[in-house]
Amino acid sequence: MNVQKKVAVFAWALLWLSGSVQAQSDALQALDPGTMDTLKLSWRKGQAEGDRLVLSLDAGVAKVERCDAACQPLGSALTLTSGQKEQLLSGLRSARLTSLRSGPDAELTADRALWLSIPGRVPLAISLSRSDWPVSADGSGVASVLDDLMRQIVQKSSARPLVDVPRSIEDLAKVTVQLTVSTSKHPGGLLRIDHGTLSITPEEGSLARQPRPKSMTRILTMEEQTQLVSALQSLDFDRLESSIPVRARPAIGDEDGRVVTLHLLPSAPLQVAKIKLAQTRGKLGKVKLQPVTEDRQPRGLRRYMADFVRSPAEPALRLLAGWLLLHPPQPDRTTEPNK
């Protein structure tokens, strides 16, 4: 064992030997919601001598490192939400940490280790095997909470990034915009914009239009593309997810009843898009295309149209619906839920 590891083992053993129950109790009594912005915490998963993950929490920001001979950051730092903070505090309070004891060799043999520091208090250090950490009646516990927080950061580090909302015409070329509108008594259909090409497939509701519009494909002008980029800026998907009501059926007074699904998808390379368009128009036979490996995830939103038009996404919806030859209802501003 090298000198650095011997020092670490000695320090942990010293804390175990000298840290009294009273000192640990003082630390636990200080665990109130306000302490999350001041406490420091380290959680090790894996044995100290082997490949291990280390979660560090400081001022409400969590980071993960993978360590062996040296430590390397894994993923991005995560700022804990108020719910995550409360879940962690609850786990720490319910763990009965003052009753837990690390054996003299636990720092080397245990596969979980907690180090907790609160300003003005004696740091608390505990090393135990995963099965020895307390579990609450619902099957959770501080070990589960910390393991899960670590897992979230690790998974996020390997997840593909979401498609970004285009902020320029150059960005628009990398994204496929797709709008699907269901029918009721009103018409609906499918709209798709890919590499500046607009394709629409209208569908009739119970009250069919005369004459019925036909499917068509055309190239958007630069002015229309600029207009589209501007309208898409209203698509803050995270905000829209929480601000537009999720309903199992239309709201009372919703006479429209149509459902809108809006997607931003990774756009295929231009050559692939041209081949698919030519095949659609019957100008090219079947061509075997190589699969495209995409490093971005699509993102989308599905809501009733009456709710959509009362949201910040109204500019994008009205522009796309207009190109699809549809007429969204006028929003009732007196009952707008998202002001």
Side-chain angles (χ1 to χ4, degrees):
M1 188 186 303
N2 60 36
V3 174
Q4 184 178 6
K5 288 181 179 177
K6 286 182 178 179
V7 171
V9 171
F10 178 76
W12 279 72
L14 184 61
L15 282 172
W16 174 72
L17 292 170
S18 63
S20 65
V21 172
Q22 182 59 47
Q24 292 184 1
S25 297
D26 289 344
L28 294 180
Q29 288 170 2
L31 286 176
D32 57 61
T35 61
M36 283 304 300
D37 294 329
T38 58
L39 69 78
K40 294 183 180 180
L41 178 151
S42 177
W43 176 251
R44 191 196 73 221
K45 180 180 180 181
Q47 294 184 347
E49 289 292 326
D51 184 16
R52 59 203 180 277
L53 295 177
V54 178
L55 170 73
S56 301
L57 180 66
D58 188 359
V61 178
K63 300 178 182 179
V64 173
E65 291 181 315
R66 183 180 294 279
C67 302
D68 194 350
C71 294
Q72 297 293 331
L74 189 61
S76 302
L78 175 68
T79 300
L80 270 59
T81 65
S82 58
Q84 288 172 321
K85 291 178 181 179
E86 179 53 41
Q87 184 182 30
L88 177 54
L89 286 175
S90 177
L92 291 171
R93 293 192 204 101
S94 64
R96 304 186 304 278
L97 298 179
T98 55
S99 65
L100 301 179
R101 294 288 181 274
S102 304
D105 299 325
E107 169 58 15
L108 296 177
T109 59
D111 62 1
R112 297 293 190 279
L114 172 68
W115 179 82
L116 179 65
S117 174
I118 301 173
R121 310 284 177 173
V122 176
L124 183 150
I126 301 173
S127 297
L128 294 171
S129 296
R130 176 65 178 84
S131 59
D132 293 332
W133 286 90
V135 177
S136 59
D138 61 0
S140 63
V142 64
S144 297
V145 172
L146 290 168
D147 277 357
D148 186 61
L149 183 58
M150 183 182 286
R151 178 187 57 78
Q152 291 178 42
I153 296 176
V154 172
Q155 285 186 344
K156 194 172 182 180
S157 71
S158 60
R160 293 179 298 157
L162 293 169
V163 170
D164 292 325
V165 175
R167 298 190 175 277
S168 66
I169 291 180
E170 290 74 21
D171 291 343
L172 186 61
K174 303 173 186 176
V175 173
T176 296
V177 181
Q178 183 170 291
L179 179 77
T180 305
V181 182
S182 68
T183 62
S184 57
K185 64 179 180 181
H186 304 287
L190 170 67
L191 173 146
R192 189 177 176 93
I193 299 172
D194 195 13
H195 290 290
T197 299
L198 168 67
S199 302
I200 62 173
T201 305
E203 292 184 17
E204 298 306 295
S206 59
L207 300 177
R209 291 170 287 185
Q210 297 296 334
R212 295 191 177 194
K214 298 180 180 179
S215 299
M216 62 162 291
T217 301
R218 69 176 180 85
I219 303 296
L220 292 176
T221 66
M222 292 300 292
E223 182 180 353
E224 287 174 322
Q225 292 187 55
T226 300
Q227 186 181 10
L228 175 59
V229 169
S230 177
L232 291 178
Q233 297 311 300
S234 64
L235 299 180
D236 181 342
F237 282 92
D238 293 334
R239 178 185 174 193
L240 294 173
E241 281 278 3
S242 59
S243 63
I244 307 179
V246 179
R247 306 185 194 275
R249 57 187 61 84
I252 297 175
D254 179 4
E255 297 180 356
D256 189 287
R258 288 176 291 183
V259 176
V260 171
T261 305
L262 179 60
H263 274 117
L264 294 184
L265 309 160
S267 185
L270 182 58
Q271 188 60 34
V272 174
K274 286 182 177 179
I275 292 174
K276 288 184 176 180
L277 180 61
Q279 290 175 337
T280 301
R281 293 176 172 177
K283 296 181 179 180
L284 186 67
K286 288 188 176 180
V287 176
K288 187 175 181 180
L289 299 174
Q290 295 297 322
V292 178
T293 302
E294 183 50 61
D295 60 353
R296 295 172 298 160
Q297 297 185 68
R299 61 196 312 167
L301 190 66
R302 186 175 188 270
R303 294 292 191 273
Y304 279 97
M305 181 177 281
D307 293 325
F308 232 119
V309 298
R310 293 197 298 269
S311 79
E314 180 188 2
L317 175 64
R318 288 202 175 275
L319 178 63
L320 296 172
W323 287 341
L324 191 51
L325 307 178
L326 302 180
H327 301 286
Q330 291 298 322
D332 180 1
R333 299 297 182 184
T334 61
T335 60
E336 184 173 351
N338 305 312
K339 273 190 174 181

